[in-house]
Amino acid sequence: MGKRIAVVEDEPLLQQNYSMALKKAGYEVVVYETKSEAEHAFANRLPDLVLLDIGLGNEQEAGFEICRGLRQQSTQLPIIFLTALDSDLDIISGLRLGADDYLTKDISLPHLLARISALFRRLESLQEAPNANAIHQVGSLEIDNERLSVKWSGTLVDLTVSEFWIVNALVSRPGHVKNREQLMQAVKAVVDDSTITSHIKRIRQKFQRIDPTFDSIETVYGMGYRWNQA
C-alpha cells in the first residue's frame, strides 16, 4: 500500500484532479471537504502527508486552524498548503504555523508531485541515518538523526521536517555562511527567498522559547546565514 495523503479541499473539481494525479502516482488518497470532517479524521488517524487549503466553505481560515492542530499532534507530519491565497501575509502565516511548504493552486500537477516526493525523501533520509552518526553535538545543540529530534541545552525543540534540514545544514559547518540556494538544496524542495527567511525566523523563535538569549543563527546580510557555536 502506498503512502496515505489527505487532501483537504472544498472544490469538487480540484478534489477530483488532485485525487486522480496522486492515485496515478501510487498514493492512497482520502479527501475531506470541511474543517470538522478533517479534524475528526485526524483525531483518529494521521495520514503520511496533508495537502491543505486555507478557506473551506464559509470558514476563511479553516486551513490555518487545522494546521495548528496537526502540529500539536505531530511535529514531523509533512504539511503542504495548497491554496489560491498568494499574499506574503498568508504565506508567512502558513509557515509560522509549521507548514513545510506553501503552494498556490496554479502549480502544475507534475510540479506538485515533485514537491510531495521531495518531502517524503527527506523523511526517508532521516529515518535511514546510520546509527554511528545518529547523534551530532555542537555546543549546546544536539541533533539525533535516529529519533528525528533536536535538543537545546537538553530541552527538545519541536522542529518541522523543513526546519530540521535547515538546522542540519547550518550546523554541518559552524561558522561557515550558507546562502539561500544552499539552504533550499538542504530542504530538498524549490522554495523562494521569502520562504527561507520565514523558516529561519520561526526556527529562531522556537529556540528562543527555550533560551531567550539564543543567538546562534546569525544573518550575514547579502550572503545568507551561519551557525555560531555556543
Side-chain angles (χ1 to χ4, degrees), residues 28-175:
E28 179 186 355
V29 182
V30 288
V31 178
Y32 306 111
E33 187 170 338
T34 67
K35 175 174 171 282
S36 60
E37 286 177 359
E39 289 180 333
H40 178 75
F42 296 151
N44 290 295
R45 177 184 177 183
L46 287 178
D48 295 303
L49 182 144
V50 177
L51 288 178
L52 184 58
D53 196 3
I54 295 175
L56 299 171
N58 294 325
E59 299 182 87
Q60 298 305 308
E61 296 191 351
F64 288 149
E65 295 172 15
I66 293 171
C67 182
R68 186 181 294 109
L70 286 171
R71 274 292 165 252
Q72 292 174 352
Q73 290 180 261
S74 171
T75 60
Q76 294 170 13
L77 171 69
I79 300 173
I80 299 177
F81 275 112
L82 185 56
T83 176
L85 303 178
D86 60 358
S87 72
D88 288 342
L89 178 60
D90 289 315
I91 294 170
I92 292 169
S93 296
L95 295 174
R96 283 180 176 172
L97 287 171
D100 292 289
D101 210 343
Y102 190 109
L103 309 174
T104 54
K105 289 181 177 179
D106 57 356
I107 189 172
S108 69
L109 290 175
H111 193 175
L112 172 61
L113 292 172
R115 301 286 273 261
I116 291 170
S117 179
L119 275 174
F120 282 138
R121 285 199 304 273
R122 280 186 280 164
L123 281 176
E124 290 166 1
S125 296
L126 287 173
Q127 292 165 352
E128 294 169 1
N131 291 338
N133 298 320
I135 305 295
H136 186 191
Q137 187 86 38
V138 178
S140 299
L141 182 81
E142 178 186 295
I143 296 180
D144 188 331
N145 286 315
E146 190 172 70
R147 295 172 183 254
L148 310 184
S149 64
V150 169
K151 291 182 179 179
W152 179 259
S153 298
T155 301
L156 185 69
V157 186
D158 289 332
L159 300 178
T160 67
V161 177
S162 295
E163 292 163 356
F164 187 99
W165 276 110
I166 289 173
V167 171
N168 243 338
L170 292 171
V171 173
S172 65
R173 298 189 70 190

Side-chain angles (χ1 to χ4, degrees), residues 200-217:
I200 291 289
K201 180 180 291 187
R202 182 172 171 82
I203 291 168
R204 283 182 174 135
Q205 290 172 344
K206 289 184 175 182
F207 277 97
Q208 287 167 354
R209 290 189 196 118
I210 297 169
D211 177 5
T213 67
F214 174 84
D215 62 355
S216 292
I217 299 177

